[in-house]
Amino acid sequence: MGSVVATHPIIARLEALLPAGAVLHRAEELHPYECDGLAVYRRLPLVVVLPETVAQVQAVMRLCSELHVPVVARGAGTGLSGGALPHSEGVLLSLAKLHRILELDPMARTARVEPGVRNLAISEAARPHGLYYAPDPSSQIACSIGGNVAENSGGVHCLKYGLTVHNLQQVKIVTVDGELLTLGGAGLDSPGYDLLALITGSEGMLGIVVEVTVRLLPLPERAQVVLAAFNDVTEAGAAVAAIISAGVIPAGLEMMDQTAIRAAEAFVHAGYPTDAAAILLCELDGTNAEVSSEILKVRKILLSSGASEVRTAENEAERQRFWKGRKSAFPAVGRLSPDYYCMDGTIPRKRLPEVLQRMGQLSEEYGLPVANVFHAGDGNLHPLILFDANKPGELEKTEDFGRRILELCVEVGGTITGEHGVGMEKIDQMCVQFRPMELEQFHAVKAAFDPHGLLNPGKAVPTLHRCAEFGAMHVHHGELPHPELERF
Amino acid sequence: MGSVVATHPIIARLEALLPAGAVLHRAEELHPYECDGLAVYRRLPLVVVLPETVAQVQAVMRLCSELHVPVVARGAGTGLSGGALPHSEGVLLSLAKLHRILELDPMARTARVEPGVRNLAISEAARPHGLYYAPDPSSQIACSIGGNVAENSGGVHCLKYGLTVHNLQQVKIVTVDGELLTLGGAGLDSPGYDLLALITGSEGMLGIVVEVTVRLLPLPERAQVVLAAFNDVTEAGAAVAAIISAGVIPAGLEMMDQTAIRAAEAFVHAGYPTDAAAILLCELDGTNAEVSSEILKVRKILLSSGASEVRTAENEAERQRFWKGRKSAFPAVGRLSPDYYCMDGTIPRKRLPEVLQRMGQLSEEYGLPVANVFHAGDGNLHPLILFDANKPGELEKTEDFGRRILELCVEVGGTITGEHGVGMEKIDQMCVQFRPMELEQFHAVKAAFDPHGLLNPGKAVPTLHRCAEFGAMHVHHGELPHPELERF
């Protein structure tokens, strides 16, 4: 085949299909695409394409199918599980140039948009109509709706308003062989199998999302946040349980531990009590009357759950400041240490105190500090492990620690991902989460869309062979799970 | 093969697997299973089985796979699209004896139940904990949760609380070859493809539901209903639009036309204004404060939309009476005519006035009266066509009228089913709703679960061959779509 990489025949064919400048294949052009938000995995693709129309996406897919070339789709590249990590022999298909809002229908309360539209841009466009798009991942300024569909993204408000899948009406995809399919429809339900839900969270493994119709919600009349400080993390966990048991459904219910509180406070001056062991942020939204009555109820519960201090934001500026601390928690913690590794797992709410305690024990065992910032209301944890990649062996130790946390989540009846997806990062933990026959069913579904495995190969669902190997590695933990990859 | 029906070898094999009395094959035993709630289609199965445990369901499926015998699953048999119509050479697998509530976890707000548990029984069991299960199909006293999953059932409250799929946490299925798979998990999201959503609404085509974990919601502090009368159906439709546009999300928003109002009033004395052209029932639920403020808002909108009368239920007894009229509307309309045919389609809310008008024209064209009862808030129509099956040709005329209504729904951007499923009834309209490549994708997904097509064959998703034939029939409409079936 000669020097395959430099002269791969697909490059000229792609250049013939796409506008000038839409095919990148020189090393310096490829570098910006070598990783997504999980920069621990880096790899250069064979070629990057930037189509501007659905027809161009179809043409690219037809060509890749013809030549049996792998394709990795990429939105804004903010994903945190390495799902958009390129394939070294494949096409990196960026949807960034499909970024138009096609239609906003206030009466149907929907917005029809291209996949490259930023999450927040939808709410900005809807605001003049008194509407907004509810799912709000921390990256909402930058992340794109196509990526949100691929990862089934959540956010602070998913406790009340659900994940991406609960806020979609229709998605158009381009299949591996270039066909355009419409999934879902105008109604709440749609006949036939629910391929709309199936594609949501499928991490680019089943098709390329080229159009998304999202449901919009009326802007609540009022939103208000209550901040409670606790001297003990377990008490804060019990307060979460008490709020939920009382029948309150907060718009958001977030917890931060002392490390996270101090980091956020030093970074953005949110006004957090830095001596607290943990804080809860509880947002209530709805009509004025509803929010007033629920705030009273929540304050009472928090005080009787042992909160040392309960503050209600006095105005919108203070409410925004309280949230700013939470939303900046990841970069804030990042300032404490040369590197940090953000985990994402889900546990049943009632196991929260136990899991926090065991995570503390693991932190001591590994000698690595952990900051905890999480969606307490739905049991979605985001432990941030602090480490220094320049110290020999510390990255591997961190990854091993991370694996133990995910396996702890599974052990207590939870899952290895809440909202960040499996991607490259957690593919081995899928072997812990699922039994072989369940993985086989996933592969059968994959084959129904992509029989030759060209879409995002090696991600999200492990082969049974890989699980068998991982089983062995699991016994001798401490080894690298992905030795074939370059590390930073 | 000799006299295959009476002596099919599977019967003795099934009797060896199952307890005494759990295998029925004499004609008089089979008759209760010849149809579901859509009694226009009737057919006797080869044999009925009534397993009592998941292991027995697995054994039945292993045997059927070995012998290549078709299997039709059946819950309570209240379905309205013929989805549980037996296969004459197949096993009718009743889940009625799997009817235990296995676990109720108030802290996690979930109930884990067997598929034969009745929808309403879940809410009854949850009530002492201040919780309930939200989806409430009209048949909720009788219908089973397994059937609800198979059809992705809705109900009066799905406008605010979603369909079955939005209220599930985990489902266990037995596959066609007898494996037990767990779909979904404890968290809001679950890694891997969303097979939980895929199985929901799949009408028994992908697997047998043997356990369901539903999400429970806190009982609202208060629920209140407002009844508004209109002299004009179009005005009532516009009022629906105005309520939704104002940012109110009612717990239910139902419309009935004059025929339905009068029938319901004569049947259950709900206190409806019988001279109105249409009534709206708008339910609001939540905290006391929230409901009070929203009632004021809704009353104002209704009056300014031209309502001739607006009444708020004065107490819980009156609220229940208002709803009783709506929930009894189908049997009430059934008293007006020897037979009625309940349709189920969805349209974009904004096309409501136009669709009602065109349905009136069709009613005149066919000379068959129509009563309209529907979930106005989410555009889910339930036109009831009144006819007399004893008049020669009138059933066929009714079915043709029904097809025209469904095709009208598709024409205005809607779908051929809102919540009753496709089943046997609407299989030809699937050819109108979907393009061949979309149907092909459905078949590929089906094959990923059931490669030999043993699960509920001939339902829900038409073959492309059938669509080609239907295309021809469609031109010469008036013909029977299912001449091979016995009619009542």
Side-chain angles (χ1 to χ4, degrees), chain A residues 190-346:
Chain A
S190 182
Y193 307 122
D194 191 351
L195 304 188
L196 173 59
L198 186 64
I199 205 82
T200 309
S202 67
E203 307 196 21
M205 305 281 289
L206 304 182
I208 309 295
V209 174
V210 291
E211 190 186 294
V212 184
T213 305
V214 300
R215 296 210 172 97
L216 303 172
L217 292 177
L219 283 163
E221 206 170 283
R222 183 178 165 203
Q224 180 59 285
V225 67
V226 178
L227 182 156
F230 291 85
N231 296 321
D232 183 278
V233 173
T234 310
E235 276 182 351
V240 169
I243 290 171
I244 300 291
S245 298
V248 178
I249 303 182
L253 183 51
E254 301 283 309
M255 197 195 279
M256 294 167 71
D257 70 5
Q258 193 171 61
T259 308
I261 295 166
R262 290 188 176 171
E265 189 55 26
F267 190 36
V268 300
H269 314 294
Y272 292 165
T274 50
D275 53 343
I279 61 168
L280 288 182
L281 289 172
C282 179
E283 177 144 304
L284 301 157
D285 69 9
T287 63
N288 253 317
E290 178 186 11
V291 172
S292 298
S293 73
E294 299 230 304
I295 282 182
L296 290 177
K297 201 191 257 185
V298 165
R299 286 183 61 95
K300 213 184 214 173
I301 295 168
L302 289 167
L303 288 168
S304 67
S305 301
S308 57
E309 186 190 355
V310 178
R311 277 193 269 160
T312 306
E314 285 182 7
N315 47 50
E316 181 59 18
E318 190 171 33
R319 177 179 161 261
Q320 293 289 352
R321 199 160 57 240
F322 282 177
W323 278 119
K324 193 174 180 194
R326 164 61 187 88
K327 294 212 170 188
S328 317
F330 290 8
V333 168
R335 299 183 346 146
L336 300 183
S337 162
D339 301 287
Y340 73 92
Y341 187 30
C342 171
M343 306 304 298
D344 166 51
T346 302

Side-chain angles (χ1 to χ4, degrees), chain B residues 101-120:
Chain B
I101 294 181
L102 301 170
E103 191 185 358
L104 205 143
D105 183 340
M107 175 62 195
R109 282 192 194 151
T110 56
R112 193 164 61 84
V113 305
E114 290 186 328
V117 171
R118 290 175 306 110
N119 173 297
L120 193 60

Side-chain angles (χ1 to χ4, degrees), chain A residues 408-427:
Chain A
L408 172 59
C409 290
V410 176
E411 185 195 321
V412 301
T415 65
I416 59 168
T417 175
E419 53 186 10
H420 295 175
V422 173
M424 202 63 225
E425 180 195 25
K426 300 175 193 169
I427 190 156

Side-chain angles (χ1 to χ4, degrees), chain B residues 134-446:
Chain B
D136 56 345
S138 297
S139 57
Q140 71 176 143
I141 297 174
C143 66
S144 67
I145 191 71
N148 289 181
V149 173
E151 301 296 327
N152 193 18
S153 306
V156 160
H157 289 94
C158 67
L159 175 61
K160 182 166 180 180
Y161 297 107
L163 300 166
T164 301
V165 70
H166 304 110
N167 292 276
L168 294 179
Q169 180 144 299
Q170 184 176 280
V171 163
K172 291 186 183 171
I173 65 164
V174 171
T175 64
V176 72
D177 46 7
E179 298 285 5
L180 184 64
L181 298 187
T182 301
L183 315 179
L188 248 187
D189 194 17
S190 183
Y193 307 123
D194 191 352
L195 303 189
L196 174 58
L198 186 63
I199 205 81
T200 308
S202 66
E203 308 198 20
M205 306 281 291
L206 304 181
I208 310 293
V209 174
V210 293
E211 189 185 295
V212 183
T213 304
V214 299
R215 298 211 171 97
L216 303 173
L217 293 178
L219 282 162
E221 209 171 279
R222 183 178 166 202
Q224 181 60 285
V225 67
V226 178
L227 183 157
F230 290 84
N231 295 321
D232 182 278
V233 174
T234 311
E235 276 182 352
V240 169
I243 290 170
I244 301 291
S245 299
V248 178
I249 303 183
L253 184 50
E254 301 284 309
M255 197 195 280
M256 295 167 72
D257 70 5
Q258 193 171 60
T259 309
I261 295 166
R262 291 189 176 172
E265 189 55 27
F267 189 37
V268 301
H269 313 295
Y272 291 165
T274 49
D275 53 344
I279 61 169
L280 287 181
L281 290 171
C282 179
E283 178 145 302
L284 302 157
D285 69 9
T287 62
N288 253 315
E290 179 186 10
V291 173
S292 298
S293 73
E294 298 231 304
I295 282 181
L296 290 178
K297 200 191 261 184
V298 165
R299 286 183 60 95
K300 212 185 214 172
I301 295 169
L302 288 167
L303 287 168
S304 68
S305 301
S308 56
E309 187 190 354
V310 178
R311 277 193 268 160
T312 306
E314 286 182 6
N315 48 49
E316 181 59 18
E318 190 172 33
R319 177 179 160 261
Q320 292 290 352
R321 200 160 55 241
F322 283 176
W323 278 118
K324 194 175 179 192
R326 165 62 186 88
K327 292 210 170 191
S328 317
F330 291 7
V333 168
R335 297 180 352 141
L336 300 183
S337 161
D339 301 288
Y340 73 92
Y341 188 29
C342 171
M343 305 305 298
D344 166 51
T346 302
I347 58 165
R349 275 190 293 263
K350 62 182 166 190
R351 309 295 290 267
L352 199 54
E354 173 193 347
V355 169
L356 289 175
Q357 196 190 8
R358 286 181 59 188
M359 208 139 51
Q361 290 163 356
L362 286 171
S363 170
E364 281 182 33
E365 180 184 330
Y366 282 90
L368 294 169
V370 174
N372 272 298
V373 179
F374 52 91
H375 309 312
D378 46 9
N380 183 191
L381 309 181
H382 290 313
L384 303 170
I385 307 174
L386 308 185
F387 72 104
D388 181 352
N390 288 321
K391 290 192 189 158
E394 197 151 299
L395 170 61
E396 291 71 21
K397 202 163 68 167
T398 301
E399 290 193 319
D400 192 50
F401 183 5
R403 283 194 290 275
R404 297 276 296 276
I405 292 175
L406 296 180
E407 288 161 27
L408 172 59
C409 290
V410 175
E411 185 195 320
V412 301
T415 64
I416 59 167
T417 175
E419 54 186 11
H420 295 175
V422 173
M424 201 65 225
E425 179 196 25
K426 300 174 193 169
I427 190 156
D428 289 325
Q429 278 68 43
M430 288 290 279
C431 312
V432 181
Q433 181 90 65
F434 294 102
R435 288 173 303 147
M437 65 184 74
E438 287 157 352
L439 294 173
E440 273 175 14
Q441 189 59 62
F442 286 149
H443 287 295
V445 168
K446 163 79 169 173

